Amino acid sequence: MKRQPDAQGLPANILAKPIVVTRDQHPISRKAIPEHALKVLYRLHNAGFEAYLVGGCVRDLLLGLEPKDFDVATNAKPEQVRGLFRNCRLVGRRFRLAHVVFGREIIEVATFRGHHEVETDEQSAKVAKADDEGMLVRDNVYGTIEEDAQRRDFTVNALYYNIADFAIYDFANGVKDLNAGVLRMIGDADQRYREDPVRMLRAIRFATKLSMRMDSSVEAPIRQLAPLLQNIPAARLFEEVLKMFAAGKGVANFEMLSDYHLFQQLFPLLKNYIKEPDEAPYQMIRQTFADTDERIRNDQRITPAYLFAALLWWPLQARMEILMAESGLPPVDAMNLAAADVFGKQVQTVAVPKRFSIPAREIWQLQQRMERARGKRIQSLLTHPRFRAAYDFLLLRAKTATPAEQQHLQQQADFWTQQQAKFPGAVATARNAHSAEDSAAPKKKRGRRGGRRRKPRTDSD
């Protein structure tokens, strides 16, 4: 039986009672759960608290996928969790979380979230706060597991694995939707997107990652509400961009984001370059994601520096042309100024840390140096730490060039291919000097499951 909306506007697709999928009815085994996650679950349980694996990890295990993270939900308050674990730290302002740290591995523990009356002014620490657009900016309201399930974003994320009886508690027909391949929102999608516009990006990412189709109610508001992403902190959107384009589904995410007008919000400088799929800029951007996806499939290194160098190349060229025409600057100076301008504008929407923007600018600069190199400068460039990334970028440019530039760029690419064969020692020197990097980035960390540091988030991944 499904719950009807009540006076408080509770989600209509939440079940009156959860469906309990007993241990003999699902494939999840404790052998698939990392040791440290089990340790957290059992310590909470033995201390008299409820303890569940929740959200994305349960969903992925049911699909036979390897979860990135194992998150825990409990009725213990953050301070009580910290009292059980000396290796625990409390994080987050919007919603307080406990991070239990085991070396490089972090198990995130969240207290059940409760219902709230959203207020636009500060009145009480127990009342959530929203901005003028309806986006929640503070949400430290605790409740029961039933309330927590109602606060989840998608039905397939309202799944809880109970360490007490090893059963899965399904509060929103999530298992049914998972089997049907349908991504359905809990509650009114328009309202949920306004509460947190990043949910629009999550809808796209889950659709591509899980090969699911979005329910019509999930996709209908996205184009209209896409501009709400402008209210999201640029640093948070950088993390979302990495999830979108550095996890093996870059092409699919790019195409869906563009179709729903979300990519244009993340990269406003590219708005005019992705209107014509047959044009060189669009082809270069798409090929960048295709190459990155292939590298991830081959377990090769990728780096955001290379991605941003490729994505912002055409805005860089346009700005360079303006600077050279208006000020008569030589190409080297024009590129340096244009690079500062382009990144200065981009970081207003998606923050790009200097550890990535600086290497991206070096990749750009090397395009000019590679074109001018003669004599001893050739071997010097071959030993440059960013040479391999710059060379791959040159190959990308040649592959997606306009007809007017294609022959010239291909000749350059062939020349540098020959030089690497001619001076293998120089290339090896560069590789050894920069062994921590690769042309397309830091290697995808595989380590132990759940073994990555991350920032707090609002919904289950």
Side-chain angles (χ1 to χ4, degrees):
M1 182 176 67
K2 291 188 178 182
R3 185 188 199 99
Q4 297 301 315
D6 62 14
Q8 293 182 331
L10 300 181
N13 52 352
I14 286 289
L15 302 176
K17 292 183 179 180
I19 297 171
V20 180
V21 186
T22 59
R23 175 63 190 90
D24 60 334
Q25 296 175 320
H26 68 76
I28 297 179
S29 167
R30 279 170 290 172
K31 294 180 181 179
I33 303 172
E35 173 189 356
H36 293 144
L38 288 172
K39 184 178 292 186
V40 171
L41 289 167
Y42 276 117
R43 187 171 297 182
L44 286 166
H45 174 67
N46 292 336
F49 296 108
E50 298 176 54
Y52 301 82
L53 286 180
V54 63
C57 60
V58 181
R59 177 200 69 216
D60 289 353
L61 288 172
L62 287 174
L63 290 174
L65 303 175
E66 183 175 326
K68 294 182 303 176
D69 309 301
F70 286 79
D71 297 330
V72 173
T74 179
N75 60 342
K77 300 295 192 296
E79 293 75 14
Q80 293 173 313
V81 177
R82 184 169 59 181
L84 293 175
F85 299 92
R86 287 187 292 180
N87 55 328
C88 176
R89 63 177 183 230
L90 302 186
V91 301
R93 287 175 292 182
R94 175 176 170 179
F95 186 78
R96 203 72 165 150
L97 298 166
H99 279 184
V100 185
V101 183
F102 300 91
R104 291 183 57 83
E105 184 175 356
I106 294 176
I107 304 300
E108 186 172 279
V109 182
T111 305
F112 295 144
R113 289 174 292 182
H115 296 314
H116 57 259
E117 292 184 5
V118 175
E119 299 291 344
T120 56
D121 58 342
E122 293 280 353
Q123 291 186 354
S124 167
K126 294 184 179 180
V127 177
K129 180 176 174 59
D131 63 13
D132 293 338
E133 298 291 340
M135 186 174 74
L136 293 178
V137 294
R138 194 195 63 230
D139 195 16
N140 285 317
V141 182
Y142 304 128
T144 65
I145 186 173
E146 291 82 8
E147 292 173 322
D148 188 82
Q150 293 163 11
R151 298 286 309 281
R152 298 270 157 186
D153 52 1
F154 301 102
T155 60
V156 296
N157 287 337
L159 301 172
Y160 297 73
Y161 173 86
N162 191 353
I163 198 62
D165 58 9
F166 316 124
I168 293 173
Y169 288 70
D170 179 355
F171 287 86
N173 265 324
V175 173
K176 179 180 177 180
D177 286 344
L178 203 61
N179 292 334
V182 178
L183 193 64
R184 205 183 308 275
M185 184 74 74
I186 294 176
D188 179 69
D190 187 288
Q191 178 184 344
R192 303 307 302 277
Y193 289 148
R194 290 183 185 276
E195 289 177 352
D196 185 1
V198 168
R199 286 177 178 141
M200 293 184 285
L201 300 179
R202 291 166 59 80
I204 301 297
R205 180 158 58 86
F206 289 149
T208 58
K209 173 185 176 180
L210 306 175
S211 299
M212 301 180 74
R213 65 174 179 84
M214 292 187 290
D215 181 72
S216 59
S217 63
V218 171
E219 67 171 341
I222 293 180
R223 291 183 180 88
Q224 179 184 354
L225 299 181
L228 292 179
L229 285 178
Q230 297 173 16
N231 300 327
I232 301 298
R236 186 180 177 199
L237 288 183
F238 173 75
E239 297 297 326
E240 293 300 322
V241 164
L242 293 189
K243 292 176 184 178
M244 285 284 186
F245 301 123
K249 293 288 185 177
V251 171
N253 283 326
F254 166 61
E255 292 177 343
M256 284 196 72
L257 288 171
S258 300
D259 184 37
Y260 287 96
H261 303 168
L262 294 169
F263 187 83
Q264 294 86 331
Q265 300 298 325
L266 297 172
F267 296 95
L269 290 174
L270 298 179
K271 188 178 300 184
N272 294 327
Y273 294 101
I274 60 173
K275 292 181 178 179
E276 301 295 336
D278 294 334
E279 297 293 330
Y282 184 100
Q283 290 298 314
M284 183 173 179
I285 293 169
R286 190 184 187 283
Q287 189 64 47
T288 298
F289 294 132
D291 292 345
T292 301
D293 290 347
E294 182 178 2
R295 293 184 69 85
I296 291 172
R297 286 193 297 270
N298 295 334
D299 198 25
Q300 294 176 287
R301 298 177 185 275
I302 62 168
T303 180
Y306 183 89
L307 283 175
F308 283 103
L311 291 177
L312 299 177
W313 174 253
W314 288 96
L316 174 79
Q317 296 303 298
R319 184 58 182 155
M320 281 181 62
E321 290 179 6
I322 292 174
L323 289 172
M324 288 189 291
E326 292 181 349
S327 306
L329 291 173
V332 172
D333 294 337
M335 174 172 282
N336 289 333
L337 287 176
D341 290 346
V342 167
F343 269 112
K345 292 179 180 178
Q346 179 58 50
V347 298
Q348 294 176 24
T349 52
V350 176
V352 184
K354 288 186 177 180
R355 68 181 184 276
F356 299 128
S357 64
I358 292 175
R361 293 177 64 165
E362 290 179 338
I363 292 172
W364 289 340
Q365 292 162 357
L366 282 170
Q367 302 306 297
Q368 292 182 338
R369 294 180 61 185
M370 291 168 72
E371 185 166 359
R372 300 192 309 265
R374 300 291 186 274
K376 293 183 179 180
R377 291 185 179 180
I378 293 174
Q379 284 187 261
S380 176
L381 279 183
L382 290 172
T383 63
H384 193 286
R386 311 285 180 199
F387 170 77
R388 182 68 197 188
Y391 168 72
D392 282 356
F393 188 56
L394 177 59
L395 294 181
L396 173 67
R397 291 173 59 205
K399 186 185 299 186
T400 59
T402 62
E405 294 183 313
Q406 204 280 330
Q407 182 177 0
H408 173 66
L409 288 174
Q410 190 58 55
Q411 288 175 346
Q412 278 196 61
D414 292 343
F415 174 81
W416 285 103
T417 300
Q418 296 166 5
Q419 297 308 306
Q420 291 177 79
K422 186 176 180 180
F423 301 105
V427 177
T429 299
R431 186 177 295 115
N432 293 335
H434 211 61
S435 59
E437 292 192 22
D438 200 301
S439 64
K443 192 171 184 178
K444 191 182 176 188
K445 294 182 181 178
R446 292 199 173 267
R448 292 173 295 181
R449 279 184 281 201
R452 69 183 185 94
R453 296 188 179 275
R454 41 183 203 171
K455 295 183 179 180
R457 55 175 183 250
T458 56
D459 294 309
S460 174
D461 218 358

